[in-house]
């Protein structure tokens, strides 16, 4: 059974950093793409970062490129390092896994973790 559990959200001032973690089980990172999505109030869910299983390529949304970084640590944990956070980054963040990197959907989801950036 695929399980994902996100953690690490919180309140941070603009310009600060946060590191989200996702504990994964029930699958291999070689089999599924892994990534992070976010959803702000009143907005559609968007993919922000992903590592493709097919070729190990990293993908980032334009709005976070150069500030957010996705990476893994061993076979069961992946992270989203978020730097220079801005108020528009405020959202619930979800870790996810699926057959491929997508900007809007995934096959498996963790629970969300709230990130709030104060200006």
């Amino acid at each position: 059974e695929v399980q994902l559990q996100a953690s690490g959200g919180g309140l941070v001032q603009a310009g600060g950093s946060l590191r989200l973690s996702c504990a994964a089980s029930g699958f291999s990172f070689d089999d599924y793409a892994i990534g992070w999505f976010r959803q702000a109030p009143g907005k559609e869910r968007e993919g922000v970062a992903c590592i493709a299983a097919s070729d190990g390529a990293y993908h980032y949304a334009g709005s976070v490129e150069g500030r957010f970084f996705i990476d893994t640590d061993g076979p069961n944990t992946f992270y989203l390092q978020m730097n220079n956070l801005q108020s528009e980054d405020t959202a619930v963040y979800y870790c996810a896994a699926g057959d491929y990197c997508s900007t809007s959907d995934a096959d498996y989801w963790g629970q969300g973790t709230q990130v709030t950036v104060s200006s």
Side-chain angles (χ1 to χ4, degrees):
E1 179 187 5
V2 173
Q3 292 187 330
L4 299 157
Q5 184 169 0
S7 61
L11 174 65
V12 63
Q13 288 188 333
S17 298
L18 275 178
R19 184 174 174 85
L20 305 182
S21 299
C22 185
S25 62
F27 71 101
S28 167
F29 294 169
D30 292 332
D31 296 330
Y32 289 131
I34 52 176
W36 292 89
F37 293 76
R38 68 184 181 186
Q39 188 163 23
K43 294 189 177 181
E44 293 187 353
R45 183 174 61 205
E46 65 168 337
V48 295
C50 184
I51 304 175
S54 58
D55 59 3
Y58 289 62
H59 301 272
Y60 294 96
S63 58
V64 307
E65 195 154 15
R67 300 188 298 123
F68 289 15
F69 301 94
I70 183 173
D71 214 338
T72 64
D73 181 13
N76 300 115
T77 308
F78 60 100
Y79 301 97
L80 184 67
Q81 177 67 41
M82 305 185 293
N83 300 325
N84 191 22
L85 283 159
Q86 304 300 314
S87 58
E88 54 265 34
D89 297 318
T90 294
V92 178
Y93 284 72
Y94 301 88
C95 58
D99 289 336
Y100 51 88
C101 285
S102 168
T103 58
S104 61
D105 207 358
D107 297 307
Y108 304 98
W109 296 90
Q111 89 291 357
T113 185
Q114 176 71 47
V115 172
T116 302
V117 183
S118 63
S119 56

